């Protein structure tokens, strides 16, 4: 993982998961670039930290998206809840990755 800065994160995304660059740039422009308040930056970095962490591991990314898709299609509320909880656990775990991991 890169340093926890927008610039380092964008560089890592561009190098390792370029398919995310357009969404990253669009989100940056919408949420941060035209703002006069930097308070949203940590939330922005946290969101993209998780997105990058998943995208750099295609198998894990596919697994999380599969869990979320199966939950959306499930007609059993308990099953859907369990699937979403598992996806959330994984998303939470990747948020805790540190630079260099």
């Amino acid at each position: 993982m890169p340093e926890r800065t927008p610039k380092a994160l964008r560089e890592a995304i561009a190098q390792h998961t370029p398919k995310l660059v357009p969404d990253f740039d669009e989100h940056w422009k919408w949420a941060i670039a035209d703002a006069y308040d930097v308070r949203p930056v940590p939330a922005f970095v946290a969101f993209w930290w998780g997105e990058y962490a998943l995208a750099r591991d295609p198998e894990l990314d596919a697994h999380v998206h599969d869990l979320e898709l199966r939950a959306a299609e499930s007609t059993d509320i308990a099953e859907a809840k369990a699937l979403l909880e598992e996806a959330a656990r994984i998303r939470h775990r990747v948020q805790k990755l540190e630079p260099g991991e």
Side-chain angles (χ1 to χ4, degrees):
M1 294 297 290
E3 293 299 314
R4 279 190 192 256
T5 66
K7 181 179 179 181
L9 187 54
R10 190 193 184 284
E11 288 172 358
I13 289 170
Q15 183 177 2
H16 301 288
T17 57
K19 68 181 182 176
L20 295 180
V21 170
D23 290 340
F24 179 94
D25 288 345
E26 183 178 328
H27 188 194
W28 175 264
K29 185 176 182 198
W30 171 81
I32 308 297
D34 296 332
Y36 293 99
D37 184 356
V38 296
R39 287 181 291 182
V41 172
F44 177 89
V45 170
F47 173 80
W48 283 99
W49 187 263
E51 292 300 301
Y52 171 68
L54 285 176
R56 72 184 188 143
D57 183 341
E59 287 181 28
L60 185 60
D61 191 34
H63 178 63
V64 169
H65 289 291
D66 179 61
L67 291 168
E68 293 168 341
L69 179 62
R70 288 173 38 213
E73 294 174 344
S74 179
T75 57
D76 179 335
I77 191 74
E79 177 188 41
K81 181 180 176 193
L83 292 165
L84 289 176
E85 286 173 348
E86 177 61 20
R89 277 192 292 277
I90 294 168
R91 287 185 177 277
H92 183 72
R93 187 177 73 232
V94 299
Q95 283 293 335
K96 293 183 180 217
L97 292 172
E98 293 294 330
E101 289 187 277

